[in-house]
Every structure is written in C-alpha cells, then in structure tokens.
Amino acid sequence: MYRIFIVEDDPGIAQAIGDQARMWALDTWCVKDFRNVMSEFAAYDPQLVLLDISLPFFNGYHWCNEIRKVSKVPVIFISSASDNMNIVMAMNMGADDFIAKPFDQTVLMAKIQAMLRRTYEFASSVPILEHKGALLNTGDNTLTYQDQQIGLTKNEYRILLTLMENKGKVVSREKLMERLWETDSFVDENTLTVNVNRLRKKLDGAGLSGFITTRFGVGYIIEG
C-alpha cells in the first residue's frame, strides 16, 4: 500500500482526499503540526506528497525546498493559486506536478496513481531516519539539520545509522565495530573511539550537542 503525505490545512479537503485515497487502496497521513512538517514527513516515510501553497507558519514552497534537501519523493502541489507564476515557482522548487483547486477527486487520484507507477515501477522509496530535527537519508548517506548538510565519512555514517536504527537502546562497542568491519577496513577499539569523537565534533559544530551519549563500559546511545 503506497503512503501519501498530505500537507493541507483545510481539514475538509484533507479528509476528502484521505477518504478517496482509501477507496484506491492508498494509505494517507494528514499533517497535524504545521511548524514541524519534516518530523512527520520522516516518521511517515511517504512515497508521494500532496502540498498546498498557503499554509500556517511556512508556505508550501518552503516545505518543498526542505523535502528536496533530503528526498526525491514525488511532490504534487494542490492550490487555488494556480497562476503561471506560482506553477513555474512550484516546478522550480522541485515539484513534479501542479493541480489547481478546485479539482475533481477522481482526476487527482488518477494523477497520483500515474505518478506512483512512473516513480516506483523500477525503484523503491528511500527511508529517512529522524531525531531532534536531524534527517539521515539512507539513500545518499547524507545528514541534514536546519538547512545545513553535514558531511560524513563512510565510517561516521555507519556509526550514526546503527545508533539511529536503535534509538533509545544502548549499542555496544562490539556491535559498532562489526558494522565498521563491513567497510573491509581494519577496525580496533581505538579506531572506533576516534571515529565516534570525530562524528560528535561534527554534530556539535552543527548545533546537535549531546546527540550521542556514552554509556561507560557498555557502548553508546541516542536517547529516544
């Protein structure tokens, strides 16, 4: 079942889209907190986004730009502001289609189905892990936080991925070293310590102080 992420502040429209989507065997999530759209986006991991332009706090262009920093998921704008300038701006921000309101629900669903077929016939969606606003894209191994992309080495990425996959649980140093062995590089305890410290320094520099906690004698944890 494909997952459709609906960023629409009119509850009537959002519910109508959700009701229609379920008839087409599609799962939907309507954004609840318009200040933190990206947190809900990461948690839901959608395969298509429906995005209005006029929204509380930040407009749809802002959120399209934020989504494009971490994902190539298809984005369809749905808006009554359907003049040429808005359509061109939406496409320049990374949108894949623009549907003017008011629209026929069956036409919207047909466009969604066509977009899903084109996008996922030969490809799968890329999961994104999120914590405290930091977004780890497992498709291109990038970490994004507050409009900045944090460069990671292969080992730093593997350490962070393992910790975020086990958020709220202590990950032993032995388990982390096993993940680093997958790189075909020799890894000992000192090398792990160096990599973790370097990763922490990058996170601290980006404003993510205390992101990784040490449990002495056991391992490391990202607190849930």
Side-chain angles (χ1 to χ4, degrees), residues 30-119:
C30 300
V31 167
K32 296 176 172 56
D33 183 358
F34 287 92
R35 287 185 186 271
N36 297 298
V37 170
M38 291 307 295
S39 293
E40 294 187 36
F41 173 85
Y44 187 57
D45 187 25
Q47 287 148 314
L48 186 141
V49 176
L50 293 178
L51 183 60
D52 194 7
I53 293 176
S54 298
L55 297 166
F57 307 113
F58 302 98
N59 64 28
Y61 298 132
H62 169 82
W63 292 121
C64 185
N65 186 50
E66 293 300 298
I67 289 169
R68 279 293 167 258
K69 290 177 182 178
V70 300
S71 175
K72 295 180 181 179
V73 66
V75 174
I76 299 177
F77 270 88
I78 49 172
S79 176
S80 57
S82 56
D83 56 277
N84 289 343
M85 181 171 22
N86 276 298
I87 294 173
V88 170
M89 188 176 298
M91 294 305 178
N92 287 339
M93 294 298 291
D96 296 277
D97 203 348
F98 193 111
I99 299 176
K101 295 178 182 176
F103 48 75
D104 184 275
Q105 290 281 2
T106 57
V107 172
L108 174 63
M109 290 301 127
K111 281 181 170 283
I112 289 173
Q113 292 281 5
M115 183 71 69
L116 290 170
R117 283 195 302 271
R118 288 198 302 269
T119 306

Side-chain angles (χ1 to χ4, degrees), residues 150-169:
I150 305 163
L152 302 175
T153 66
K154 188 179 291 186
N155 281 348
E156 290 165 355
Y157 168 75
R158 286 177 181 265
I159 291 168
L160 189 57
L161 175 63
T162 305
L163 292 174
M164 291 185 74
E165 285 175 339
N166 293 276
K167 186 167 64 175
K169 302 175 184 176

Side-chain angles (χ1 to χ4, degrees), residues 99-154:
I99 299 176
K101 295 178 182 176
F103 48 75
D104 184 275
Q105 290 281 2
T106 57
V107 172
L108 174 63
M109 290 301 127
K111 281 181 170 283
I112 289 173
Q113 292 281 5
M115 183 71 69
L116 290 170
R117 283 195 302 271
R118 288 198 302 269
T119 306
Y120 300 108
E121 186 174 2
F122 300 108
S124 58
S125 63
V126 174
I128 296 171
L129 304 179
E130 186 273 342
H131 184 61
K132 292 184 178 178
L135 302 169
L136 184 66
N137 188 318
T138 62
D140 57 13
N141 300 2
T142 57
L143 179 66
T144 306
Y145 178 68
Q146 292 186 347
D147 296 331
Q148 57 186 321
Q149 193 169 94
I150 305 163
L152 302 175
T153 66
K154 188 179 291 186

